[in-house]
C-alpha cells in the first residue's frame, strides 16, 4: 500500500481504496485455490492408479451388468462350494465385514454400493499403512500356554528388540533398496535361457564389486550389529549330524547379531515356497516357536479369499499378537496379517520366472477350470478366450498367480506405471523378495537378513515335479506366456533386478560364491548321510507313508527315501528335512494344539464310521480344557 501510495496510484477516495483491497483479496483467494486443486489432483491421480490396478473399474462395471447387480461382481473372494477351508465363525464374519471396509478390493468386488471415494481413501490408507505401524504390543505369549508343547527348548533368552528399533532397521533396508545402481543383468535372457538351468549362472556384478578383493561385511549385519551387540544363537542341526556337517564349514563371516524369530513368509504358489516353508518349520520347531497355523488343521489360510486373522488357530483378537512364524498359503492382506504377527516381524516372499511358474502350474492345476479342457499349455495360450473365465474362483492358477497371491487383481492393468506402483507397494510391505531361480543365492541373502546360520537355511528341494513332464517351450510359447502374465512378468523383472542390487549392496562376489559353495557342499554331505542314492524318487517308490508327498493334478511330485540303519536322532533330523508340507503341518498342529488335534481326529474317525453307527461321537470340543484357553 505504501509503495502504491508513493506511486500515486491509489485514488484518494474511500471507494477507490476499497476496490483495490477487494481486488487483492480476490487474487490471493484464487491463487490459494489453484494451489489446493493442484495438490488434490496429484493425490487423486496416484489414488486412481492404485484403484484401477486393484479393482479394475471398467471390468467391475461390466461385470455388474452381466450379473444383473444381484450377485457379487467377482465371486473370486467367496468360498467356493465344497471348499475345504474353515467356515468363518460369527466373529470372523463380523471381522470380515470390517475388513471389507478397510479393503476396497474386497468391498468393490463384493458390494457395488461402496462409494468410489471411500475406496480411494481406503486404498490410500492401505498402501501407506505399513509406514505407520501400530505401537508394539509384543509380550503376551497366549498360544504358547499349551503344556503339551514338548519340543527341545532352544529358545533365545534375549528379549525381542524394540519395535521402534526394528522399524528403523526396516527403513534402512528399504533405503538401501532405493539407492541402487542400474540393472546388472539382461532380463530377457532370464526368461529364455535360464529354463533348464535356473541356478547355473551368477550374474555379473557391478565393477566396484568385481574389482574389490576385500570381503565386505553385509551392510545389513553391520547396521544391526552396531545397534544390537548380541551374539546369535546358532542352531545345531541335530546332535548326531552337527559334528559331521560342521567340519570347518562355518564361515568367519558369521558375525555376532540377533537371530530374527518373528517371521512372515508369503508362500507364493509354485515358487519353491514349500522348500522355504520346510526351512521355517524346522527353524521354529527346533526353538519351540509358535506358528500361525490354519484353523481346524486346514491346509491353507482361507485361500483364495483374502486372509482374515480369524482363520488362524488360537487367534483371539483380544490381546497382542502372539505368533512367531506364519508361512501357509494365503492371499496377502497386510492389515489382517498385522493383527496376527508382532510389529517387529520380518516380511519376506519369493518370486519365480512366470515361464517356469506357468509350466508348473499347468501341470499341477490341470484340474482347474481354465486348464481342464486345454490339451496343452500351447492350446490354452492360443485359446484363452475359450478356456479362461476371470470370474472363476480358481482363475488365478492360470494367470498372474504371483500378483494374485500378493493381493492384487490378477486381471488388472499391467502398464509400466501400474506395475511400478505395485512393486512400490510390495516394497513398502516386504523386507525381502527372493528369486527361485537363484535359490541358493537367495538363501545366503535370507540368512544374512535374518542373522541365521547356513545350517538354518539348509534344505532339499520339496514339491519337485518329475522333470519329464516338461516339454521344451518354443520361443513363441515363451512370448505368449510373458504377455498373458504381463503383470507377473513385469513384477518378476523388477524384483529380479532389486534382488541383485541388494546382493551387490550387501556382500562381495567372493563372499556370495563362498557361501553358495558351502551351502551346496553341505547339502551333498547331508544327502550322503540321509538319503538313499542321495536323490529324490517317485512317490510310488517311497517306503515311509510319512514322507509321501501329496499328488495333485497331472503332476508327479517327487519325494525321498531315508537311508536304512540311521540312529534315532539322525533319522528324526533327516525326516524333518524331507517331510512334505501336509505331514509337517499336521505334526506342528498336534504339538501346538494337542487336545484339539485329538478331538479333530476323533471327529474324523466318527464321521467315517458314522454310517456304520459303530463309534460314539466325541464330546464337544468346547467342553475340553484347551477350548477354554481360546
Ligand atoms: N530349491 C529349489 N530351487 C528351485 N526350485 C525349487 C526348489 N525347491 C522346489 N522348487 C520348485 O518349486 C516348485 C514348487 O513350488 P511350491 O512349493 O511353491 O508349490 S506349491 O504352490 O506349494 O504347490 C516346483 O517346481 P516344478 O518342479 O517346476 O513344479 C519345484 O521343483
Amino acid at each position: 500500500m505504501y509503495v502504491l501510495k508513493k506511486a500515486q496510484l491509489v485514488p484518494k477516495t474511500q471507494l477507490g481504496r476499497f476496490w483495490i483491497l477487494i481486488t487483492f483479496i480476490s487474487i490471493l483467494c484464487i491463487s490459494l485455490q489453484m494451489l489446493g486443486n493442484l495438490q488434490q489432483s496429484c493425490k487423486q491421480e496416484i489414488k486412481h492408479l492404485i484403484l484401477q490396478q486393484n479393482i479394475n473399474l471398467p471390468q467391475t462395471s461390466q461385470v455388474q451388468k452381466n450379473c444383473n447387480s444381484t450377485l457379487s461382481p467377482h465371486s473370486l473372494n467367496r468360498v467356493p462350494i465344497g471348499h475345504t477351508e474353515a467356515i468363518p465363525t460369527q466373529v470372523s464374519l463380523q471381522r470380515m465385514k470390517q475388513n471389507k471396509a478397510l479393503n476396497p478390493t474386497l468391498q468393490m468386488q463384493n458390494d457395488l454400493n461402496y462409494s468410489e471415494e471411500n475406496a480411494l481413501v481406503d486404498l490410500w490408507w492401505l498402501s501407506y499403512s505399513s509406514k505407520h505401524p501400530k505401537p508394539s504390543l509384543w509380550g503376551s505369549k497366549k498360544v504358547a500356554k499349551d503344556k503339551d508343547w514338548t519340543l527341545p527348548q532352544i529358545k533365545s533368552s534375549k528379549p525381542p528388540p524394540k519395535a521402534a528399533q526394528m522399524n528403523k532397521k526396516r527403513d534402512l533396508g528399504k533405503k538401501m533398496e532405493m539407492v541402487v545402481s542400474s540393472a546388472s543383468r539382461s532380463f530377457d535372457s532370464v526368461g529364455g535361457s535360464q529354463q533348464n538351468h535356473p541356478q547355473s549362472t551368477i550374474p555379473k556384478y557391478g565393477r566396484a564389486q568385481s574389482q574389490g578383493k576385500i570381503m565386505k561385511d553385509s551392510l545389513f549385519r553391520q547396521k544391526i550389529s552396531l545397534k544390537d551387540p548380541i551374539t546369535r544363537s546358532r542352531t545345531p542341526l541335530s546332535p548326531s549330524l552337527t559334528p559331521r556337517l560342521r567340519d570347518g564349514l562355518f564361515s568367519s563371516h558369521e558375525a555376532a547379531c540377533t537371530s530374527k524369530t518373528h517371521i512372515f513368509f508369503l508362500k507364493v504358489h509354485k515358487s519353491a515356497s514349500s522348500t522355504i516353508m520346510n526351512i521355517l518349520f524346522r527353524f521354529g520347531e527346533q526353538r519351540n516357536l509358535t506358528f500361525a497355523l490354519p484353523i481346524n488343521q486346514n491346509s491353507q489360510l482361507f485361500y483364495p479369499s483374502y486372509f482374515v486373522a480369524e482363520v488362524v488357530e488360537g487367534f483371539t483378537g483380544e490381546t497382542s499378537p502372539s505368533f512367531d512364524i506364519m508361512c501357509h498359503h494365503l492371499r496377502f492382506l497386510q492389515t489382517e496379517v498385522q493383527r496376527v504377527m508382532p510389529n517387529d516381524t520380518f516380511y519376506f516372499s519369493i518370486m519365480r520366472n512366470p515361464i517356469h511358474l506357468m509350466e508348473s502350474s499347468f501341470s499341477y492345476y490341470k484340474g482347474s477350470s481354465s486348464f481342464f479342457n486345454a490339451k496343452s499349455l500351447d492350446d490354452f495360450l492360443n485359446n484363452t478366450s475359450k478356456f479362461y473365465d476371470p470370474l472363476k474362483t480358481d482363475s488365478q492358477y492360470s494367470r498372474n498367480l504371483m500378483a494374485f497371491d500378493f493381493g492384487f487383481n490378477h486381471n488388472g492393468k499391467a502398464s509400466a506405471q501400474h506395475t511400478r506402483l505395485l512393486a512400490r507397494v510390495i516394497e513398502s510391505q516386504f523386507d525381502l523378495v527372493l528369486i527361485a531361480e537363484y535359490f541358493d543365492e537367495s538363501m545366503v541373502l535370507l540368512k544374512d537378513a535374518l542373522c541365521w546360520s547356513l545350517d538354518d537355511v539348509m534344505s532339499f528341494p520339496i514339491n519337485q515335479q518329475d522333470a519329464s513332464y516338461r516339454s521344451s517351450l518354443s520361443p513363441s510359447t515363451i512370448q505368449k506366456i510373458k504377455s498373458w502374465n504381463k503383470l507377473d512378468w513385469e513384477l518378476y523383472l523388477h524384483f529380479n533386478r532389486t534382488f541383485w542390487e541388494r546382493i551387490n549392496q550387501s556382500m562381495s562376489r567372493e563372499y556370495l560364491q563362498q557361501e553358495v559353495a558351502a551351502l551346496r557342499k553341505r547339502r551333498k554331505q547331508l544327502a550322503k548321510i540321509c538319503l538313499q542314492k542321495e536323490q529324490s524318487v517317485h512317490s510310488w517308490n517311497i517306503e515311509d507313508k510319512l514322507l509321501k508327498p501329496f499328488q495333485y493334478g497331472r503332476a508327479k511330485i517327487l519325494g525321498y527315501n531315508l537311508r536304512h540303519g540311521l540312529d534315532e536322532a539322525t533319522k528324526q533330523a533327516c525326516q524333518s528335512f524331507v517331510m512334505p508340507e501336509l505331514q509337517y503341518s499336521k505334526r506342528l498342529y498336534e504339538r501346538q494344539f494337542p487336545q484339539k488335534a485329538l478331538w479333530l481326529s476323533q471327529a474324523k474317525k466318527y464321521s467315517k464310521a458314522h454310517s456304520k453307527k459303530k463309534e460314539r461321537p466325541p464330546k464337544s470340543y468346547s467342553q475340553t480344557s484347551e477350548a477354554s484357553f481360546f
Side-chain angles (χ1 to χ4, degrees), residues 199 267-275 329 352 360 364 436 439 461-465 469-470 581:
Q199 295 175 32
K267 190 176 188 300
V268 172
H269 284 79
K270 298 288 140 212
S271 303
S273 65
S274 306
T275 306
H329 280 305
R352 188 183 187 191
S360 172
Y364 198 80
F439 191 85
I462 305 283
N463 222 1
Q464 246 184 333
Q465 292 189 45
Y469 78 93
R470 281 199 195 113
E581 171 183 341

Side-chain angles (χ1 to χ4, degrees), residues 233-238 241-251 254 453 455-456 522 525 529:
S233 58
R234 190 179 284 146
T235 334
L237 275 170
S238 112
L241 288 181
T242 307
R244 273 175 280 179
L245 285 174
R246 276 204 171 160
D247 293 342
L249 285 172
F250 277 119
S251 89
E254 290 175 1
S453 73
D455 273 348
D456 294 333
R522 206 168 305 188
Q525 289 176 323
I529 296 167

Side-chain angles (χ1 to χ4, degrees), residues 43 46 82 218 370 374 392 403 421 456 504 526:
K43 275 185 190 171
I46 300 174
S218 144
S370 315
K392 293 278 190 218
L421 202 62
D456 294 333
N504 287 344
L526 195 62

Side-chain angles (χ1 to χ4, degrees), residues 316-599:
T316 58
E318 285 159 15
T319 49
S320 51
S322 49
F323 296 94
D324 296 305
I325 298 179
M326 187 172 183
C327 57
H328 281 77
H329 280 305
L330 59 83
R331 189 172 187 202
F332 187 64
L333 185 55
Q334 188 191 39
T335 47
E336 283 299 297
V337 174
Q338 281 172 337
R339 292 179 65 217
V340 177
M341 298 302 291
N343 278 344
D344 61 356
T345 297
F346 182 88
Y347 285 73
F348 81 106
S349 188
I350 187 161
M351 288 195 175
R352 188 183 187 191
N353 185 330
I355 298 164
H356 308 149
L357 190 146
M358 194 167 192
E359 268 190 294
S360 172
S361 182
F362 182 76
S363 154
Y364 198 80
Y365 296 108
K366 187 67 182 67
S368 69
S369 61
S370 315
F371 292 147
F372 189 71
N373 291 315
K375 289 188 192 98
S376 62
L377 188 49
D378 254 329
D379 186 26
F380 171 78
L381 292 163
N382 290 333
N383 300 287
T384 47
S385 56
K386 180 172 137 196
F387 294 125
Y388 184 75
D389 179 354
L391 300 185
K392 293 278 190 218
T393 51
D394 58 359
S395 64
Q396 78 281 2
Y397 293 125
S398 54
R399 190 175 205 189
N400 292 320
L401 183 51
M402 294 194 289
F404 181 88
D405 286 358
F406 271 95
F408 302 117
N409 177 5
H410 62 305
N411 295 303
K413 291 191 173 184
S415 70
Q417 225 176 355
H418 280 91
T419 47
R420 249 200 322 273
L421 202 62
L422 294 201
R424 273 175 53 196
V425 171
I426 294 173
E427 276 165 354
S428 77
Q429 296 172 329
F430 286 82
D431 297 289
L432 184 63
V433 176
L434 306 173
I435 297 293
E437 277 69 28
Y438 302 101
F439 191 85
D440 290 343
E441 290 80 359
S442 290
M443 290 306 103
V444 174
L445 201 51
L446 180 70
K447 71 140 179 104
D448 279 7
L450 293 176
C451 193
W452 288 11
S453 73
L454 265 186
D455 273 348
D456 294 333
V457 293
M458 248 302 298
S459 66
F460 294 120
I462 305 283
N463 222 1
Q464 246 184 333
Q465 292 189 45
D466 176 6
S468 61
Y469 78 93
R470 281 199 195 113
S471 49
S472 63
L473 301 174
S474 68
S476 85
T477 307
I478 288 174
Q479 211 42 53
K480 280 178 215 158
I481 295 178
K482 282 188 205 172
S483 65
W484 176 247
N485 296 284
K486 180 126 195 314
L487 203 49
D488 271 7
W489 179 249
E490 294 299 329
L491 286 174
Y492 177 73
L493 293 187
H494 176 91
F495 284 100
N496 192 4
R497 191 179 71 244
T498 54
F499 173 81
W500 287 105
E501 286 168 352
R502 177 87 167 247
I503 284 197
N504 287 344
Q505 288 238 332
S506 58
M507 63 187 74
S508 71
R509 188 210 303 218
E510 288 84 354
Y511 171 73
L512 177 67
Q513 285 176 341
Q514 178 195 305
E515 295 293 90
V516 166
L519 195 64
R520 289 177 184 166
K521 185 176 172 189
R522 206 168 305 188
R523 190 178 291 130
K524 271 192 185 160
Q525 289 176 323
L526 195 62
K528 259 189 196 147
I529 296 167
C530 292
L531 307 178
Q532 281 180 30
K533 295 185 187 165
E534 298 167 36
Q535 60 184 18
S536 56
V537 291
H538 280 118
S539 78
W540 55 83
N541 289 327
I542 296 174
E543 297 155 3
D544 186 350
K545 209 174 135 193
L546 196 66
L547 302 183
K548 265 189 197 282
F550 179 61
Q551 304 293 311
Y552 201 67
R554 214 172 64 177
K556 308 257 180 307
I557 306 291
L558 305 175
Y560 300 90
N561 272 326
L562 295 188
R563 279 184 53 192
H564 296 293
L566 298 173
D567 64 76
E568 195 49 35
T570 309
K571 187 180 162 195
Q572 291 294 328
C574 290
Q575 243 180 13
S576 306
F577 273 96
V578 295
M579 192 177 286
E581 171 183 341
L582 295 182
Q583 288 92 320
Y584 213 145
S585 290
K586 187 166 180 279
R587 176 161 113 182
L588 294 176
Y589 187 97
E590 283 166 357
R591 285 170 188 242
Q592 210 162 305
F593 306 102
Q595 291 180 38
K596 186 162 182 189
L598 189 68
W599 180 82

